[in-house]
Amino acid sequence: MIENIKVLIGIIMAAVLVNNYVLSQFLGICPFLGVSKKLDQATGMSVAVIFVMVLATAVTYPIQYFLLNPKGMGYLQTVVFILVIAALVQLLEIVLKKYIPALHASLGVYLPLITTNCAVLAVCISNVDNYMTATSFGGTFVQALVNALGSGLGFLLAMVMFAGVRSQVERCNCPESFKGMPITLISAAIVSVSFMGFAGVVDNLLG
């Protein structure tokens, strides 16, 4: 039991710090650059992405295990996963519009863009590739869900951190040629490089 908990903690820490989809694998850059101007929008977007990542994994993993693999239709994985993610995002948009209209309005066009957020699709495919075996479902399914949660938390961390960095950068009097997107991309690169320092941390802590 303790060993299983240790494994799950390692999966979360690795997904958040070491294999961060935004800062280490450069996935989900569109919302990372587009919705990180304000902290409240960045947080709201990240929470929505976490929800979609976990729910998409909960749906796509069984589809792959019980339907696509046994029927020899693994080649349809990308198409099926995109359709599932699109349906979940549409459901989320309906819920937010009804119950949290302020957040729905602030996210604007970036909420439907979760459908095309490559980080969400990458999490689903990664979970299938790394946590699916032919002989086990229950344990590996839990690990896949935990990895999805950790990946979402990593997305949240990257968004919140970068929102803070951008708020400070915008107050600086940088050269005219660097204002706007150039200084934003440079700041993103520096934040990304800083995460390279976490390489090996999980192995040292949990090894």
Side-chain angles (χ1 to χ4, degrees), residues 52-72:
V52 172
M53 281 184 175
V54 175
L55 194 56
T57 297
V59 176
T60 56
Y61 191 98
I63 289 176
Q64 182 76 34
Y65 189 88
F66 293 110
L67 180 61
L68 298 183
N69 285 351
K71 300 294 183 180

Side-chain angles (χ1 to χ4, degrees), residues 16-58:
V16 174
L17 299 177
V18 181
N19 301 318
N20 190 290
Y21 276 87
V22 179
L23 299 178
S24 297
Q25 304 185 43
F26 304 104
L27 298 172
I29 295 297
C30 178
F32 178 68
L33 296 176
V35 198
S36 58
K37 292 182 179 180
K38 296 182 180 180
L39 181 60
D40 55 344
Q41 291 185 5
T43 304
M45 179 71 172
S46 300
V47 172
V49 169
I50 292 173
F51 177 80
V52 172
M53 281 184 175
V54 175
L55 194 56
T57 297

Side-chain angles (χ1 to χ4, degrees), residues 67-144:
L67 180 61
L68 298 183
N69 285 351
K71 300 294 183 180
M73 297 188 297
Y75 59 90
L76 292 176
Q77 180 190 76
T78 302
V79 176
V80 172
F81 285 13
I82 289 176
L83 291 175
V84 169
I85 293 170
L88 294 176
V89 171
Q90 185 64 35
L91 175 63
L92 178 63
E93 185 174 9
I94 293 173
V95 172
L96 288 181
K97 187 175 183 179
K98 183 174 182 180
Y99 296 103
I100 317 179
L103 178 58
H104 178 269
S106 66
L107 291 177
V109 69
Y110 293 103
L111 183 58
L113 281 179
I114 297 179
T115 303
T116 57
N117 187 340
C118 52
V120 179
L121 179 61
V123 168
C124 295
I125 295 177
S126 175
N127 285 331
V128 168
D129 292 340
N130 298 328
Y131 299 103
M132 181 173 291
T133 64
T135 59
S136 175
F137 177 80
T140 54
F141 180 58
V142 172
Q143 292 178 1

Side-chain angles (χ1 to χ4, degrees), residues 103-195:
L103 178 58
H104 178 269
S106 66
L107 291 177
V109 69
Y110 293 103
L111 183 58
L113 281 179
I114 297 179
T115 303
T116 57
N117 187 340
C118 52
V120 179
L121 179 61
V123 168
C124 295
I125 295 177
S126 175
N127 285 331
V128 168
D129 292 340
N130 298 328
Y131 299 103
M132 181 173 291
T133 64
T135 59
S136 175
F137 177 80
T140 54
F141 180 58
V142 172
Q143 292 178 1
L145 290 177
V146 170
N147 182 64
L149 175 61
S151 300
L153 292 175
F155 186 88
L156 171 64
L157 176 63
M159 291 286 286
V160 171
M161 283 182 56
F162 195 56
V165 170
R166 288 188 72 171
S167 66
Q168 296 299 318
V169 168
E170 290 177 357
R171 298 175 186 174
C172 298
N173 186 22
C174 63
E176 189 67 28
S177 59
F178 283 91
K179 289 184 179 180
M181 189 54 65
I183 193 64
T184 299
L185 293 174
I186 292 173
S187 302
I190 294 174
V191 173
S192 178
V193 169
S194 69
F195 265 66

